Amino acid sequence: MLKLMTPGPVQVPREVLEAQLAAPPYHRSAEFRELMASLREDLLAMSRGAHEVALLAGSGTTAVDAMVWSLLRPGDRVLAIVNGEFSERMAASAAARGAVVDVIRAEPGGAPDPAEVVGAVRRGGHKAVLLVRSETSTGVLYPVKGLAEELSAMGVELLVDDVSGFAGNEIEVGWGVTALATCSHKALAAPPGVGIVLLSEDAVRSLRARPPGVPSSIDLSLYVEFSGRLETPFTPPLTVLSALRAALGRIKRVGLGNFIEAHRSRSRLLYDLLTKLGFEPLPASAALRSNTVAALRSPVGSGPVVEAARRRGYLISPGMGPLRDEVVRVGTMGDVTEDDVRSLAAAIREALEAPGVGFEPTHPFG
């Protein structure tokens, strides 16, 4: 069976998978409320500043849509930072909600300077800024801390898609983030099925006036209301929640700082080894590289590289959209090690050195 080193879902540790085997509790029982209390406590602690958490049945996209539709109103003027496929989707979600969406763009691999964003907000009088913290299509990590602090001081909301970044890169809701969306099946390393929205105190206050025109399944005001009694408004993915509790327990044992550092170490090693083989990092600078998703331009296109990884037992991903045939994306999340990274790089090297390929690596590596 292939080992997942994709941008998600990820290779789930055995102890987390086994946590799903117990019979699911009734979601209006004391047993379930105990489960919810544990999840709530751990996720709020990891968020470093969130006031409430909503757990939805669905993907990271479900969480992003719930955040956007619940916290924006038709007619709100917002600024979307767009530098990849998922930031395009977030902007499109806001437009579908009826918001007036202005866009500030960067080429794939880049990110608009935070000062440029602040200037655009001052000129445009925007209610909120939308950004993808870890752009899964390009491996770019947006420098959110300073921007969040400035926007917070201006009274401007910041809605963050951190689906592929949370728990693998440092972020704090307390920096000035209004709300943050993520999911179970990226760096948290649980199976797919749970969308997660972490809400600041300001966001919870905004939700007290129930947002109009939001489908009940993604209406965060309902989730906040039910969270107060440690329940969900609808039947949740119970077995995945049990697995998520095990995944969060695993992170607690390691320590969040050490957990993030392990992702950083794997990412640095991967970039180092593949750069020596002639790959070009897609993020414009090392400072913009996410710890969780690496994206590189391949000297031979994405197809041969993805196939070489598959033959060695690893599943990685090509690029997205117009980058599909030239970029490879590798996830450093889940139950993978630095030895896996080295083995993957060795498999790619073998493919590049095969007869007929005609490729010379720029540097040797052991």
Side-chain angles (χ1 to χ4, degrees):
M1 186 173 180
L2 296 176
K3 190 165 195 176
L4 297 181
M5 292 185 69
T6 67
V10 303
Q11 190 74 24
V12 178
R14 178 175 291 276
E15 68 179 279
V16 176
L17 287 173
E18 290 177 347
Q20 299 180 105
L21 298 178
Y26 173 51
H27 68 293
R28 300 287 181 243
S29 66
E31 182 183 0
F32 178 75
R33 287 190 285 274
E34 180 183 347
L35 171 61
M36 282 291 290
S38 174
L39 293 170
R40 185 177 183 278
E41 178 183 354
D42 289 347
L43 286 166
L44 290 179
M46 287 179 64
S47 76
R48 297 176 175 176
H51 187 71
E52 191 55 87
V53 59
L55 301 175
L56 300 88
S59 64
T61 299
T62 307
V64 173
D65 285 344
M67 174 177 68
V68 167
W69 279 64
S70 296
L71 291 172
L72 299 183
R73 305 291 190 271
D76 284 346
R77 191 171 198 91
V78 302
L79 181 66
I81 299 173
V82 174
N83 62 340
E85 296 288 323
F86 290 93
S87 47
E88 289 275 13
R89 294 183 190 183
M90 192 178 188
S93 182
R97 175 62 169 131
V100 178
V101 183
D102 296 324
V103 174
I104 185 167
R105 292 185 180 274
E107 291 299 315
D113 187 278
E116 183 183 356
V117 176
V118 170
V121 171
R122 291 190 190 282
R123 293 189 300 272
H126 299 95
K127 174 193 175 181
V129 171
L130 317 180
L131 71 83
V132 175
R133 160 71 162 167
S134 177
E135 175 53 74
T136 311
S137 68
T138 63
V140 168
L141 186 76
Y142 195 87
V144 72
K145 185 174 188 289
L147 177 62
E149 291 170 345
E150 287 205 56
L151 293 177
S152 179
M154 295 165 61
V156 176
E157 296 176 3
L158 179 61
L159 308 187
V160 176
D161 168 345
D162 203 23
V163 169
S164 69
F166 185 73
N169 299 279
E170 183 183 9
I171 192 167
E172 299 184 18
V173 171
W175 290 343
V177 174
T178 305
L180 179 153
T182 188
C183 64
S184 57
H185 65 273
K186 302 284 188 173
L188 292 175
V194 179
I196 301 166
V197 185
L198 292 154
L199 299 158
S200 68
E201 190 169 2
D202 285 344
V204 172
R205 190 178 301 114
S206 174
L207 290 169
R208 288 182 183 143
R210 181 161 293 173
V214 181
S216 57
S217 61
I218 58 170
D219 182 348
L220 293 183
S221 68
L222 292 177
Y223 288 85
V224 169
E225 177 186 334
F226 275 76
S227 181
R229 53 181 184 261
L230 298 175
E231 292 183 3
T232 56
F234 316 105
T235 306
L238 294 158
T239 56
V240 181
L241 289 178
S242 295
L244 180 59
R245 175 167 56 180
L248 296 175
R250 178 171 170 263
I251 296 171
K252 283 173 64 176
R253 291 196 300 273
V254 173
L256 180 59
N258 292 331
F259 194 72
I260 291 172
E261 183 56 39
H263 286 80
R264 181 180 293 114
S265 180
R266 291 192 294 268
S267 177
R268 286 176 176 170
L269 178 61
L270 180 67
Y271 273 110
D272 179 57
L273 294 177
L274 294 190
T275 300
K276 288 176 179 177
L277 291 176
F279 287 72
E280 178 189 349
L282 185 59
S285 70
L288 292 178
R289 296 176 190 171
S290 176
N291 295 337
T292 53
V293 180
L296 304 99
R297 295 184 188 274
S298 166
V300 295
S302 61
V305 177
V306 172
E307 176 59 22
R310 189 195 64 77
R311 289 197 301 268
R312 182 61 75 93
Y314 295 100
L315 188 61
I316 63 174
S317 299
M320 295 184 69
L323 300 175
R324 180 174 180 83
D325 295 331
E326 58 182 287
V327 167
V328 294
R329 295 178 300 138
V330 182
T332 58
M333 304 169 280
D335 192 16
V336 298
T337 66
E338 291 190 6
D339 284 343
D340 288 317
V341 172
R342 293 188 182 93
S343 180
L344 173 64
I348 293 170
R349 181 189 179 97
E350 289 175 10
L352 295 177
E353 293 178 342
V357 176
F359 177 75
E360 292 290 337
T362 56
H363 297 87
F365 69 86

